[in-house]
Amino acid sequence: GVAPSASITPGGGTTVQSAYYAYHGGYSTTTSLTPGEAFWVKVNGAGTLTLTASAMAPKAAPTAAEMGLGEMNSLTVTDAAGNTQTLYFGNADRLQTDANYYAMPPAPPVGGFDARFTSDRMVEVYSGNDKSAEYPVAIKSAQYPVTISWNVIGTEGRSFDVVSGSKTTAMVGTGSKVISDASVKTVVVRVQDGTTPKEFALSQNYPNPFNPSTHFRVDVAKASQVEVSVYDILGRKIVTLLNGEKAEGAYTMEWNGLDAQGLTVPTGMYIIRMTAGEFVGTQKVMLMK
């Protein structure tokens, strides 16, 4: 039979910190565990997960509403072999739990299809104060052509685009686009509120101090070559977060406390530096573990 995930009891001091996931040509959240299959869940440390089900649950994938995602916009990546992955984005006020609850499992083994936000979450959210945000989606081991489809259910005065290579497509209502170029391994979900910043600016990060990640806003008053990097207090570059041409707009960015090699940096003070044309802006940030 099929057992409900709600019947699993954590023990030994551990707590469950994410949804349960199954993998069938792409990850999906699940509330039903089928014997003989593998499932993934994030916990905060060593301990036990005890299945205490006496009644069997019906074998049915949970709906977006059941997973607390019913009011979120969605983006679905489907490859030519039929592998598919759905991701969600929207205003944080529409999400019923913290976005980190939707941390995704590790990428499948080499050759296994995978599509996810580069934050490794299935869900990305912006606040009402964010004028603009960009959420890259990494696509791996896909058979092309790849179809990107969307369902935008709440705009709240914002516009949504999906950017692939040099092509930008507006996401309105439900629709789709096909990517035939197999060199396109990343698409970007762009959210904008339609207003253009009057000047270049780098906002203070939030939260600060932070652990493990922090966010900040980059205002681009006109299309420019923009670089955003993190330095230590000795002036050594730790990692480059952005280096390229950016259209005018305000972009929400994230630093996850990792250096260019993907290693976690030690506790301490760091400096985020933004350059765009003649503009230079810096902000001190504190990582505390």
Side-chain angles (χ1 to χ4, degrees), residues 118-158:
T118 53
S119 65
D120 281 335
R121 287 189 296 262
M122 180 182 277
V123 178
E124 292 288 7
V125 295
Y126 49 84
S127 74
N129 296 326
D130 289 337
K131 293 182 178 299
S132 183
E134 286 192 343
Y135 305 116
V137 175
I139 303 171
K140 296 180 180 179
S141 301
Q143 295 188 31
Y144 287 73
V146 167
T147 300
I148 308 293
S149 56
W150 56 83
N151 181 25
V152 173
I153 60 176
T155 62
E156 299 168 320
R158 286 176 167 81

Tab-separated table of all heavy atoms in Angstrom, residues 118-158:
chain	number	residue	atom	x	y	z
A	118	THR	N	18.617	28.216	-9.306
A	118	THR	CA	20.000	28.049	-8.880
A	118	THR	C	20.158	28.201	-7.368
A	118	THR	O	21.221	27.894	-6.823
A	118	THR	CB	20.918	29.035	-9.607
A	118	THR	OG1	20.414	30.369	-9.449
A	118	THR	CG2	20.983	28.719	-11.103
A	119	SER	N	19.123	28.650	-6.682
A	119	SER	CA	19.132	28.666	-5.215
A	119	SER	C	18.929	27.267	-4.642
A	119	SER	O	19.011	27.076	-3.432
A	119	SER	CB	18.024	29.578	-4.696
A	119	SER	OG	16.751	29.034	-5.055
A	120	ASP	N	18.636	26.273	-5.513
A	120	ASP	CA	18.304	24.897	-5.122
A	120	ASP	C	16.949	24.796	-4.436
A	120	ASP	O	16.654	23.804	-3.771
A	120	ASP	CB	19.391	24.275	-4.230
A	120	ASP	CG	20.588	23.789	-5.039
A	120	ASP	OD1	20.414	23.500	-6.232
A	120	ASP	OD2	21.698	23.717	-4.477
A	121	ARG	N	16.114	25.815	-4.627
A	121	ARG	CA	14.732	25.727	-4.140
A	121	ARG	C	13.788	25.482	-5.312
A	121	ARG	O	14.082	25.836	-6.452
A	121	ARG	CB	14.338	27.023	-3.418
A	121	ARG	CG	14.974	27.216	-2.060
A	121	ARG	CD	14.366	28.408	-1.336
A	121	ARG	NE	14.612	29.656	-2.016
A	121	ARG	CZ	15.588	30.511	-1.694
A	121	ARG	NH1	16.389	30.247	-0.688
A	121	ARG	NH2	15.750	31.630	-2.363
A	122	MET	N	12.637	24.921	-4.981
A	122	MET	CA	11.580	24.761	-5.975
A	122	MET	C	10.749	26.034	-6.083
A	122	MET	O	10.011	26.228	-7.046
A	122	MET	CB	10.689	23.574	-5.589
A	122	MET	CG	9.533	23.297	-6.540
A	122	MET	SD	8.501	21.923	-5.977
A	122	MET	CE	9.461	20.544	-6.592
A	123	VAL	N	10.884	26.920	-5.095
A	123	VAL	CA	10.063	28.118	-4.993
A	123	VAL	C	10.948	29.344	-4.792
A	123	VAL	O	11.911	29.300	-4.005
A	123	VAL	CB	9.075	28.000	-3.808
A	123	VAL	CG1	8.249	29.275	-3.667
A	123	VAL	CG2	8.169	26.799	-3.977
A	124	GLU	N	10.650	30.435	-5.499
A	124	GLU	CA	11.314	31.720	-5.266
A	124	GLU	C	10.240	32.764	-4.965
A	124	GLU	O	9.169	32.765	-5.587
A	124	GLU	CB	12.128	32.167	-6.478
A	124	GLU	CG	13.346	31.305	-6.754
A	124	GLU	CD	14.458	31.497	-5.736
A	124	GLU	OE1	14.240	32.197	-4.733
A	124	GLU	OE2	15.543	30.942	-5.947
A	125	VAL	N	10.536	33.639	-4.004
A	125	VAL	CA	9.569	34.669	-3.631
A	125	VAL	C	10.239	36.035	-3.601
A	125	VAL	O	11.440	36.154	-3.393
A	125	VAL	CB	8.943	34.383	-2.244
A	125	VAL	CG1	8.121	33.109	-2.289
A	125	VAL	CG2	10.003	34.288	-1.159
A	126	TYR	N	9.440	37.060	-3.833
A	126	TYR	CA	9.879	38.442	-3.706
A	126	TYR	C	8.921	39.134	-2.747
A	126	TYR	O	7.791	38.694	-2.543
A	126	TYR	CB	9.895	39.150	-5.062
A	126	TYR	CG	8.625	38.967	-5.865
A	126	TYR	CD1	7.509	39.789	-5.656
A	126	TYR	CD2	8.531	37.972	-6.828
A	126	TYR	CE1	6.347	39.615	-6.373
A	126	TYR	CE2	7.356	37.783	-7.551
A	126	TYR	CZ	6.280	38.616	-7.318
A	126	TYR	OH	5.120	38.432	-8.024
A	127	SER	N	9.393	40.221	-2.145
A	127	SER	CA	8.531	40.970	-1.234
A	127	SER	C	7.849	42.100	-1.986
A	127	SER	O	8.219	42.427	-3.121
A	127	SER	CB	9.357	41.541	-0.077
A	127	SER	OG	10.136	42.631	-0.527
A	128	GLY	N	6.878	42.717	-1.342
A	128	GLY	CA	6.172	43.820	-1.973
A	128	GLY	C	7.065	45.010	-2.256
A	128	GLY	O	6.747	45.841	-3.114
A	129	ASN	N	8.214	45.094	-1.566
A	129	ASN	CA	9.131	46.219	-1.764
A	129	ASN	C	10.124	45.987	-2.886
A	129	ASN	O	10.826	46.913	-3.299
A	129	ASN	CB	9.900	46.489	-0.463
A	129	ASN	CG	8.983	46.938	0.659
A	129	ASN	OD1	8.003	47.626	0.414
A	129	ASN	ND2	9.297	46.531	1.878
A	130	ASP	N	10.248	44.752	-3.362
A	130	ASP	CA	11.210	44.457	-4.417
A	130	ASP	C	10.703	44.994	-5.750
A	130	ASP	O	9.659	44.570	-6.242
A	130	ASP	CB	11.433	42.944	-4.537
A	130	ASP	CG	12.211	42.377	-3.366
A	130	ASP	OD1	12.929	43.161	-2.717
A	130	ASP	OD2	12.104	41.172	-3.103
A	131	LYS	N	11.467	45.936	-6.323
A	131	LYS	CA	11.063	46.502	-7.607
A	131	LYS	C	11.326	45.536	-8.754
A	131	LYS	O	10.636	45.557	-9.772
A	131	LYS	CB	11.799	47.829	-7.845
A	131	LYS	CG	11.399	48.933	-6.873
A	131	LYS	CD	12.134	50.218	-7.192
A	131	LYS	CE	11.705	51.342	-6.255
A	131	LYS	NZ	10.260	51.640	-6.361
A	132	SER	N	12.336	44.685	-8.588
A	132	SER	CA	12.673	43.752	-9.660
A	132	SER	C	13.432	42.574	-9.073
A	132	SER	O	14.062	42.688	-8.024
A	132	SER	CB	13.519	44.445	-10.730
A	132	SER	OG	13.792	43.564	-11.794
A	133	ALA	N	13.344	41.453	-9.717
A	133	ALA	CA	14.068	40.270	-9.272
A	133	ALA	C	14.345	39.378	-10.473
A	133	ALA	O	13.601	39.396	-11.460
A	133	ALA	CB	13.264	39.511	-8.219
A	134	GLU	N	15.439	38.626	-10.392
A	134	GLU	CA	15.778	37.657	-11.431
A	134	GLU	C	16.082	36.319	-10.770
A	134	GLU	O	16.824	36.261	-9.791
A	134	GLU	CB	16.977	38.115	-12.256
A	134	GLU	CG	16.666	39.245	-13.215
A	134	GLU	CD	17.790	39.464	-14.207
A	134	GLU	OE1	18.911	38.982	-13.956
A	134	GLU	OE2	17.552	40.106	-15.239
A	135	TYR	N	15.502	35.245	-11.327
A	135	TYR	CA	15.689	33.918	-10.763
A	135	TYR	C	16.161	32.970	-11.873
A	135	TYR	O	15.366	32.512	-12.688
A	135	TYR	CB	14.387	33.404	-10.157
A	135	TYR	CG	13.792	34.339	-9.126
A	135	TYR	CD1	12.564	34.951	-9.332
A	135	TYR	CD2	14.479	34.621	-7.945
A	135	TYR	CE1	12.020	35.816	-8.391
A	135	TYR	CE2	13.948	35.478	-6.995
A	135	TYR	CZ	12.719	36.073	-7.219
A	135	TYR	OH	12.197	36.930	-6.286
A	136	PRO	N	17.471	32.685	-11.923
A	136	PRO	CA	17.972	31.757	-12.943
A	136	PRO	C	17.501	30.332	-12.682
A	136	PRO	O	17.388	29.897	-11.531
A	136	PRO	CB	19.496	31.866	-12.807
A	136	PRO	CG	19.748	33.109	-12.008
A	136	PRO	CD	18.557	33.276	-11.125
A	137	VAL	N	17.227	29.616	-13.772
A	137	VAL	CA	16.836	28.206	-13.711
A	137	VAL	C	17.877	27.416	-14.499
A	137	VAL	O	18.088	27.672	-15.684
A	137	VAL	CB	15.438	27.989	-14.325
A	137	VAL	CG1	15.094	26.497	-14.362
A	137	VAL	CG2	14.379	28.772	-13.555
A	138	ALA	N	18.544	26.467	-13.831
A	138	ALA	CA	19.552	25.626	-14.481
A	138	ALA	C	18.892	24.349	-14.993
A	138	ALA	O	18.134	23.703	-14.270
A	138	ALA	CB	20.668	25.298	-13.509
A	139	ILE	N	19.186	24.007	-16.251
A	139	ILE	CA	18.622	22.815	-16.883
A	139	ILE	C	19.766	21.848	-17.189
A	139	ILE	O	20.735	22.219	-17.843
A	139	ILE	CB	17.874	23.182	-18.182
A	139	ILE	CG1	16.779	24.212	-17.893
A	139	ILE	CG2	17.289	21.941	-18.845
A	139	ILE	CD1	16.147	24.797	-19.147
A	140	LYS	N	19.651	20.593	-16.714
A	140	LYS	CA	20.724	19.623	-16.903
A	140	LYS	C	20.179	18.333	-17.507
A	140	LYS	O	19.069	17.907	-17.201
A	140	LYS	CB	21.400	19.307	-15.560
A	140	LYS	CG	22.110	20.499	-14.927
A	140	LYS	CD	22.755	20.111	-13.615
A	140	LYS	CE	23.457	21.310	-12.981
A	140	LYS	NZ	24.073	20.955	-11.672
A	141	SER	N	20.992	17.735	-18.380
A	141	SER	CA	20.709	16.413	-18.968
A	141	SER	C	19.344	16.368	-19.641
A	141	SER	O	18.620	15.371	-19.536
A	141	SER	CB	20.822	15.310	-17.907
A	141	SER	OG	22.111	15.298	-17.338
A	142	ALA	N	18.993	17.449	-20.330
A	142	ALA	CA	17.715	17.502	-21.040
A	142	ALA	C	17.908	17.107	-22.496
A	142	ALA	O	18.965	17.344	-23.088
A	142	ALA	CB	17.120	18.906	-20.960
A	143	GLN	N	16.883	16.496	-23.066
A	143	GLN	CA	16.865	16.221	-24.496
A	143	GLN	C	16.105	17.355	-25.191
A	143	GLN	O	14.958	17.636	-24.835
A	143	GLN	CB	16.209	14.868	-24.782
A	143	GLN	CG	16.984	13.680	-24.210
A	143	GLN	CD	16.413	12.347	-24.668
A	143	GLN	OE1	15.868	12.227	-25.771
A	143	GLN	NE2	16.551	11.325	-23.823
A	144	TYR	N	16.765	17.996	-26.147
A	144	TYR	CA	16.161	19.146	-26.817
A	144	TYR	C	15.373	18.689	-28.031
A	144	TYR	O	15.668	17.644	-28.600
A	144	TYR	CB	17.265	20.134	-27.199
A	144	TYR	CG	17.823	20.864	-25.999
A	144	TYR	CD1	18.645	20.216	-25.083
A	144	TYR	CD2	17.499	22.195	-25.758
A	144	TYR	CE1	19.138	20.872	-23.968
A	144	TYR	CE2	17.990	22.868	-24.643
A	144	TYR	CZ	18.809	22.203	-23.750
A	144	TYR	OH	19.297	22.854	-22.645
A	145	PRO	N	14.347	19.459	-28.429
A	145	PRO	CA	13.954	20.768	-27.887
A	145	PRO	C	13.297	20.669	-26.505
A	145	PRO	O	12.694	19.655	-26.163
A	145	PRO	CB	12.962	21.296	-28.923
A	145	PRO	CG	12.387	20.059	-29.554
A	145	PRO	CD	13.525	19.075	-29.592
A	146	VAL	N	13.458	21.762	-25.735
A	146	VAL	CA	12.883	21.883	-24.401
A	146	VAL	C	11.744	22.893	-24.457
A	146	VAL	O	11.887	23.956	-25.080
A	146	VAL	CB	13.951	22.322	-23.377
A	146	VAL	CG1	13.312	22.759	-22.071
A	146	VAL	CG2	14.939	21.187	-23.136
A	147	THR	N	10.627	22.575	-23.829
A	147	THR	CA	9.483	23.486	-23.785
A	147	THR	C	9.397	24.135	-22.412
A	147	THR	O	9.426	23.438	-21.393
A	147	THR	CB	8.171	22.744	-24.081
A	147	THR	OG1	8.253	22.158	-25.384
A	147	THR	CG2	6.981	23.690	-24.031
A	148	ILE	N	9.320	25.456	-22.404
A	148	ILE	CA	9.116	26.221	-21.175
A	148	ILE	C	7.670	26.701	-21.179
A	148	ILE	O	7.267	27.447	-22.064
A	148	ILE	CB	10.058	27.445	-21.099
A	148	ILE	CG1	11.519	27.034	-21.343
A	148	ILE	CG2	9.887	28.157	-19.765
A	148	ILE	CD1	12.105	26.158	-20.273
A	149	SER	N	6.889	26.255	-20.210
A	149	SER	CA	5.490	26.694	-20.128
A	149	SER	C	5.262	27.385	-18.797
A	149	SER	O	5.995	27.161	-17.832
A	149	SER	CB	4.533	25.512	-20.304
A	149	SER	OG	4.808	24.491	-19.368
A	150	TRP	N	4.245	28.235	-18.738
A	150	TRP	CA	4.003	29.007	-17.518
A	150	TRP	C	2.524	29.183	-17.267
A	150	TRP	O	1.697	29.048	-18.164
A	150	TRP	CB	4.684	30.375	-17.606
A	150	TRP	CG	4.276	31.178	-18.814
A	150	TRP	CD1	3.173	31.963	-18.958
A	150	TRP	CD2	4.970	31.238	-20.062
A	150	TRP	NE1	3.140	32.523	-20.220
A	150	TRP	CE2	4.232	32.095	-20.909
A	150	TRP	CE3	6.151	30.661	-20.547
A	150	TRP	CZ2	4.638	32.380	-22.213
A	150	TRP	CZ3	6.552	30.951	-21.839
A	150	TRP	CH2	5.793	31.801	-22.650
A	151	ASN	N	2.239	29.482	-16.010
A	151	ASN	CA	0.886	29.826	-15.591
A	151	ASN	C	1.004	30.974	-14.598
A	151	ASN	O	1.387	30.763	-13.440
A	151	ASN	CB	0.193	28.622	-14.954
A	151	ASN	CG	-1.229	28.953	-14.520
A	151	ASN	OD1	-1.854	29.856	-15.067
A	151	ASN	ND2	-1.744	28.230	-13.537
A	152	VAL	N	0.733	32.185	-15.049
A	152	VAL	CA	0.813	33.383	-14.212
A	152	VAL	C	-0.596	33.704	-13.737
A	152	VAL	O	-1.474	34.021	-14.534
A	152	VAL	CB	1.421	34.566	-14.985
A	152	VAL	CG1	1.346	35.846	-14.158
A	152	VAL	CG2	2.866	34.260	-15.354
A	153	ILE	N	-0.824	33.609	-12.427
A	153	ILE	CA	-2.177	33.791	-11.901
A	153	ILE	C	-2.339	35.080	-11.110
A	153	ILE	O	-3.452	35.501	-10.828
A	153	ILE	CB	-2.585	32.596	-11.018
A	153	ILE	CG1	-1.650	32.437	-9.824
A	153	ILE	CG2	-2.616	31.314	-11.835
A	153	ILE	CD1	-2.054	31.334	-8.875
A	154	GLY	N	-1.216	35.708	-10.741
A	154	GLY	CA	-1.315	36.954	-9.983
A	154	GLY	C	-0.193	37.905	-10.350
A	154	GLY	O	0.972	37.629	-10.062
A	155	THR	N	-0.498	39.020	-11.009
A	155	THR	CA	0.558	39.933	-11.453
A	155	THR	C	0.838	41.020	-10.426
A	155	THR	O	1.978	41.461	-10.279
A	155	THR	CB	0.184	40.590	-12.790
A	155	THR	OG1	-1.008	41.367	-12.617
A	155	THR	CG2	-0.054	39.540	-13.860
A	156	GLU	N	-0.206	41.504	-9.732
A	156	GLU	CA	-0.039	42.540	-8.710
A	156	GLU	C	0.772	43.721	-9.238
A	156	GLU	O	1.644	44.257	-8.561
A	156	GLU	CB	0.619	41.949	-7.461
A	156	GLU	CG	-0.205	40.852	-6.817
A	156	GLU	CD	0.560	40.067	-5.775
A	156	GLU	OE1	1.754	39.788	-5.999
A	156	GLU	OE2	-0.037	39.742	-4.745
A	157	GLY	N	0.493	44.114	-10.480
A	157	GLY	CA	1.166	45.271	-11.060
A	157	GLY	C	2.550	44.998	-11.592
A	157	GLY	O	3.256	45.923	-11.993
A	158	ARG	N	2.962	43.722	-11.618
A	158	ARG	CA	4.291	43.378	-12.112
A	158	ARG	C	4.206	42.710	-13.477
A	158	ARG	O	3.171	42.192	-13.869
A	158	ARG	CB	5.005	42.434	-11.125
A	158	ARG	CG	5.480	43.141	-9.865
A	158	ARG	CD	6.080	42.125	-8.889
A	158	ARG	NE	6.815	42.765	-7.819
A	158	ARG	CZ	6.274	43.292	-6.740
A	158	ARG	NH1	4.960	43.254	-6.608
A	158	ARG	NH2	7.021	43.848	-5.811
